[in-house]
């Protein structure tokens, strides 16, 4: 009796056995990004304890901390008026003894023009709240893949997105990742960009109100208190699987926190 082989993605060796810390660009330091950064601190410390080189993170966000950010995002009253990226990175470096970097500019095409060296990292994590930002990140990654040397190309993109009480996390490869031969599994070298797979859905959501909130109460009308932290924990668990298991059978999930329901997305 024949059985269907399971499709899997084998993780690039640059994540599993790096000589130097794995470079990470975290784009967005808001409700989800601030919590993802905390998880990255914990992950890097844990990886280092297991004999791994750990992570080297650069956080990108040009926004300033306002009253509406307190409570739902990881900022304190004493940090009002500071750049989000600077406040979070300073806190992470003091806690973990790292030398991570903060960028107070947007990660967009206008910033990098034709020079994408500064934008490159092995792993890109986006926690942005606009359709345009996602499509610009996708274009930047394509340009870096075409123009960069092998050692300077991004390998993976993890995108976090959410509404009021729903959201999704998707893992993509930037180009194809070389896969070993396997008699047990069907290796999948390419995981499509979220903008290619769900681009039409994103375009339909362009009309959603993304006007900055004026208060915490106003912000909570747009996004529930725990949707960002729920996505951050589940999404970073996916990233942890990349480092620890060396292969994945699922590349993301949809989450409906209002109904306490999640739907995994298989590697196809």
């Amino acid at each position: 009796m024949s059985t269907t082989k399971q499709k899997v993605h084998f993780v690039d060796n640059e994540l599993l056995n790096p000589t130097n810390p794995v470079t990470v660009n975290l784009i967005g330091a808001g409700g989800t990004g601030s919590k993802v950064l905390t998880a990255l601190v914990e992950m890097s410390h844990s990886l280092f304890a297991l004999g791994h080189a750990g992570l080297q993170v650069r956080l990108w966000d040009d926004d300033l901390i306002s009253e509406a950010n307190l409570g739902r995002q990881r900022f304190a009253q004493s940090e009002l008026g500071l750049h989000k990226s600077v406040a979070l990175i300073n806190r992470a470096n003091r806690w973990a003894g790292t030398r991570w970097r903060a960028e107070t500019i947007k990660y967009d095409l206008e910033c990098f023009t034709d020079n994408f060296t500064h934008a490159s990292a092995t792993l890109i994590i986006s926690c942005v709240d606009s359709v345009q930002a996602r499509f610009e990140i996708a274009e930047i990654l394509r340009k870096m893949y075409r123009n960069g040397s092998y050692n300077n190309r991004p390998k993976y993109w993890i995108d976090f997105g959410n509404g009021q009480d729903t959201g999704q996390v998707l893992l993509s490869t930037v180009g194809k990742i070389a896969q070993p031969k396997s008699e047990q599994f069907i290796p999948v070298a390419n995981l499509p960009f979220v903008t290619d797979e769900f681009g039409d859905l994103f375009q339909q959501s362009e009309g959603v109100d993304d006007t900055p909130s004026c208060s915490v109460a106003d912000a909570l009308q747009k996004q529930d208190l725990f949707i960002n932290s729920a996505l951050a924990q589940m999404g970073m668990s996916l990233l942890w699987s990349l480092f620890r298991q060396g292969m994945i059978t699922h590349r993301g999930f949809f989450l409906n926190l209002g109904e306490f329901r999640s739907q995994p997305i298989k590697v196809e």
Side-chain angles (χ1 to χ4, degrees):
M1 183 178 67
S2 62
T3 57
T4 303
K5 292 182 181 179
Q6 188 174 26
K7 292 182 179 180
V8 303
H9 174 77
F10 289 95
V11 180
D12 191 279
N13 195 56
E14 192 171 335
L15 269 69
L16 303 179
N17 299 295
T19 303
N20 299 306
V22 175
T23 53
V24 180
N25 274 339
L26 175 57
I27 306 166
T32 302
S34 60
K35 295 172 175 64
V36 166
L37 183 70
T38 301
L40 287 171
V41 172
E42 297 168 349
M43 186 178 298
S44 185
H45 184 84
S46 300
L47 286 171
F48 190 74
L50 293 168
H52 189 278
L55 308 175
Q56 178 62 37
V57 177
R58 189 185 295 266
L59 177 60
W60 301 75
D61 200 307
D62 67 333
D63 200 12
L64 302 178
I65 302 168
S66 67
E67 285 280 357
N69 303 140
L70 306 184
R72 193 176 60 82
Q73 302 179 19
R74 290 201 167 150
F75 301 110
Q77 187 81 26
S78 60
E79 295 172 322
L80 286 173
L82 298 177
H83 277 97
K84 291 181 177 180
S85 57
V86 172
L88 290 172
I89 287 295
N90 284 343
R91 196 185 311 161
N93 286 339
R94 287 196 301 270
W95 185 86
T98 50
R99 298 182 65 183
W100 293 0
R101 299 290 301 275
E103 297 289 350
T104 57
I105 55 177
K106 283 186 177 181
Y107 190 95
D108 59 15
L109 287 167
E110 183 179 351
C111 172
F112 300 117
T113 59
D114 293 326
N115 182 11
F116 294 96
T117 304
H118 190 51
S120 186
T122 300
L123 176 64
I124 308 295
I125 303 176
S126 56
C127 305
V128 297
D129 55 8
S130 76
V131 175
Q132 180 184 353
R134 281 190 177 86
F135 279 95
E136 289 206 20
I137 291 170
E139 184 60 26
I140 291 170
L141 295 181
R142 288 192 176 95
K143 287 179 179 291
M144 282 193 292
Y145 182 78
R146 290 194 299 265
N147 302 330
S149 64
Y150 178 79
N151 292 329
N152 197 37
R153 288 176 180 172
K155 300 295 178 66
Y156 293 99
W157 174 22
I158 301 180
D159 179 68
F160 289 74
N162 70 279
Q164 183 174 20
D165 58 5
T166 61
Q168 73 284 330
V169 176
L170 262 296
L171 171 70
S172 307
T173 59
V174 184
K176 292 184 178 181
I177 304 296
Q179 299 288 288
K181 294 182 179 180
S182 175
E183 295 182 358
Q184 184 178 358
F185 303 105
I186 300 175
V188 177
N190 181 65
L191 306 177
F193 277 7
V194 62
T195 49
D196 294 335
E197 198 168 12
F198 300 104
D200 292 341
L201 184 62
F202 287 155
Q203 297 288 1
Q204 293 172 16
S205 66
E206 268 191 316
V208 176
D209 179 22
D210 60 355
T211 307
S213 303
C214 298
S215 67
V216 176
D218 186 23
L220 290 172
Q221 293 297 320
K222 299 177 181 178
Q223 295 186 32
D224 193 55
L225 181 59
F226 293 110
I227 182 61
N228 302 109
S229 54
L231 284 171
Q233 290 297 307
M234 293 179 67
M236 295 309 288
S237 179
L238 171 63
L239 179 58
W240 181 246
S241 296
L242 263 69
F243 284 107
R244 296 301 297 150
Q245 296 177 11
M247 73 174 194
I248 54 171
T249 57
H250 295 84
R251 53 181 290 254
F253 60 88
F254 294 102
L255 176 67
N256 187 321
L257 195 59
E259 299 178 2
F260 301 103
R261 175 170 49 85
S262 65
Q263 176 64 46
I265 302 172
K266 292 183 178 181
V267 170
E268 296 290 353

